Structures are given as C-alpha cells and as structure tokens.
Amino acid sequence: MGHLGRAHPPIDISKKKAEARLAAAQERLLRLRLILGGQIGAKKIGPPLCVLFEGWDASGKGGAIKRLVAPLDPRHVRVTQFAAPTYDEKRHHYMQRFWKVLPGRGGMTVLDRSWYGRVLVERVEGFATREQWRRAYDEIAEFERTLAAEGMILMKFWMNVSDEEQLRRFESRRDDPLRSWKLTDEDWRNREKRAEYAAAVEEMIDRTDRPRARWQVIPGDDKQYARFAVVEHVCRVLETKLAKRGYDLGAADAPGNPEA
C-alpha cells in the first residue's frame, strides 16, 4: 500500500457522531491554542506552531482547514495559501517566499500548500529540473530541522482521496454553479497524471518524514471523518509536545469558550 495507504477511513461513523467528535476536538484545540499563546494557564508564550496541508485536488484540504481554525480567534492564527510563484518570486530561491509567513513564538500558521510544491507539481510538470527537485529533499529536511531546532512545532498533513471519489467530487463541482469555479482545466489534466503524482508523493513522504516533522496521511474519502481526524491529531501532538516542554496543561482555566 505504500505510505498513502487506503483513502477510506478506518472506522464507519455516523454524521452525528462525527460532528460531536469534531466539536469536542475543536474545544480541546481552543484551550491548547490559548495556552500556547499565553492567554490562559501559566500565561507564558509558547513555541510557534505551523500546520501544513498538502493533498490531492478535491481532497478536502479547504474543509479541514476551515474546521481547524473555526474555534480560534482570527487574531491568534494566520492561514496562508500558496499557488504558483510569481515572476518576482522565481528570481529568488524557492524557499524565500515561505519565510515571511512562518509564525513567531506563541503564534500559529496554517499553510494551504507549501515548499513541497518543488517535489510535487514542479517535479511532475517539469517546472523544476531533475537536479533541482532531487536536491530539494535535503534542502527541505534541513529547513525543517532548523525550524524544529528553534522550537517550532511542525505538523504535516497529506489529505488522501481515492481516484473514484476524486472523480465524483470533480463532477459534483462541475455541475454546481456555485462551486464550478473550484474546478479548472488543470485539475482535469492532473488527474491524467495521477500515477506520476502518487510516485512523487510516496518519495516525498519517504524522504522527508522525520521525527520532529512527521507526515500524517488522512483518509479523505469521508469528509466528516477527515475533519475531526485532523483536529484530533493536532490536539494530540500539541498536548505531547507542550507536556514535554514542561507546560502544566491541567493548570489552565476550565474548558469552555473564553473567546466567545
């Protein structure tokens, strides 16, 4: 099965139960985010948190990101989307445009696409030479090692979706006047190269999954499952990392919604 595994979730869960788990995870995340930012608990500024999303077209990245940040005050999180680099950005090292959006201590940033474009779309579409994208694995690993050494908590998600479910979502978007803008000719062309992209994803995960910058593959055929799975994973990692750094997570204010 490789790193991607199956796109179908490991459990069958009703929409009602999935929504309940999502709500519980969001409240849990809100509390952790306030501890991280120094708003509650010991009120000391925590490490920067960066959550990175990659995935197939129509894999549910947008929906997962929306649910991840929904319980948070907009002042406490920044969401940044990356598309193809501009002409001016191409004049610099491909990593340059990502530095300016990284979070500082106590901050949180969510990235919709990232520096992994060099070893995915740029590799498959020929926008980077073979020498450039092969060199990028070590460049990316060193970049993330540097961020982790400075204390950043970095989480990386690959949103996985089966070929059949992706096609169903494409057709649904095509037939919906209010969502057709989400579907482009490039999306259809990318489907024709799915095998090439799958090989690139497998190598990407194999070469850049490191102890302090792990990949988490989310089975995305069931959007309800994928959404709470993302938020729960972020909570688990945050709790583990903060506890190891001496944060007393039980000493914070009682759970609730202090930002409401």
Side-chain angles (χ1 to χ4, degrees):
M1 294 295 294
H3 294 292
L4 291 181
R6 297 184 183 276
H8 189 73
I11 60 171
D12 290 323
I13 186 168
S14 68
K15 181 178 180 180
K16 183 177 180 179
K17 289 183 178 180
E19 289 176 346
R21 283 186 64 168
L22 175 62
Q26 287 176 325
E27 183 170 353
R28 186 174 156 201
L29 176 63
L30 170 59
R31 183 166 171 271
L32 289 167
R33 177 65 193 90
L34 292 172
I35 293 172
L36 188 75
Q39 281 87 22
I40 63 174
K43 297 191 176 180
K44 62 178 180 178
I45 299 297
L49 170 63
C50 184
V51 185
L52 175 161
F53 285 83
E54 296 283 354
W56 299 107
D57 295 326
S59 60
K61 292 189 304 300
I65 291 172
K66 181 179 179 180
R67 274 68 180 184
L68 179 66
V69 304
L72 309 180
D73 190 300
R75 294 170 294 181
H76 300 160
V77 60
R78 173 167 58 185
V79 179
T80 303
Q81 182 181 35
F82 287 98
T86 64
Y87 172 79
D88 187 60
E89 287 170 338
K90 290 179 181 178
R91 297 170 55 226
H92 302 272
H93 190 279
Y94 72 96
M95 286 285 198
Q96 185 269 344
R97 65 181 178 143
F98 302 106
W99 273 105
K100 60 186 177 182
V101 303
L102 293 176
R105 288 190 56 79
M108 176 178 176
T109 295
V110 178
L111 302 181
D112 184 351
R113 304 293 189 186
S114 68
W115 43 86
Y116 282 98
R118 174 58 58 121
V119 296
L120 293 174
V121 65
E122 293 184 34
R123 165 184 171 170
V124 175
E125 303 299 335
F127 298 141
T129 67
R130 179 179 176 83
E131 192 277 331
Q132 286 175 326
W133 62 258
R134 292 201 66 81
R135 186 179 69 227
Y137 295 116
D138 290 336
E139 293 173 339
I140 289 171
E142 181 60 23
F143 175 61
E144 293 177 351
R145 187 200 66 78
T146 300
L147 297 178
E150 285 295 312
M152 181 177 290
I153 298 174
L154 177 62
M155 303 183 209
K156 303 183 297 190
F157 288 101
W158 175 265
M159 304 299 291
N160 197 26
V161 68
S162 66
D163 183 61
E164 297 78 14
E165 177 62 15
Q166 185 188 52
L167 177 59
R168 189 194 68 77
R169 293 179 186 179
F170 273 27
E171 292 173 341
S172 176
R173 289 181 177 184
R174 180 196 61 196
D175 299 336
D176 185 341
L178 297 182
R179 294 191 301 135
S180 59
W181 62 271
K182 291 185 175 184
L183 189 64
T184 67
D185 290 340
E186 184 179 347
D187 293 331
W188 288 107
R189 287 195 298 270
N190 289 345
R191 268 188 58 79
E192 297 175 2
K193 297 182 178 180
R194 186 175 171 103
E196 294 174 62
Y197 274 102
V201 174
E202 289 286 356
E203 186 170 7
M204 173 192 76
I205 296 175
D206 188 56
R207 298 193 60 176
T208 62
D209 184 42
R210 304 295 174 89
R212 289 200 278 184
R214 289 291 189 196
W215 278 103
Q216 184 72 11
V217 177
I218 299 294
D221 275 12
D222 182 336
K223 290 183 179 181
Q224 301 295 330
Y225 170 85
R227 290 165 181 171
F228 76 70
V230 164
V231 183
E232 286 184 347
H233 180 77
V234 171
C235 290
R236 284 194 299 270
V237 173
L238 259 182
E239 287 166 348
T240 299
K241 298 284 188 180
L242 291 177
K244 286 183 177 179
R245 300 183 191 201
Y247 285 79
D248 185 359
L249 303 182
D253 299 346
N257 192 351
E259 296 184 351

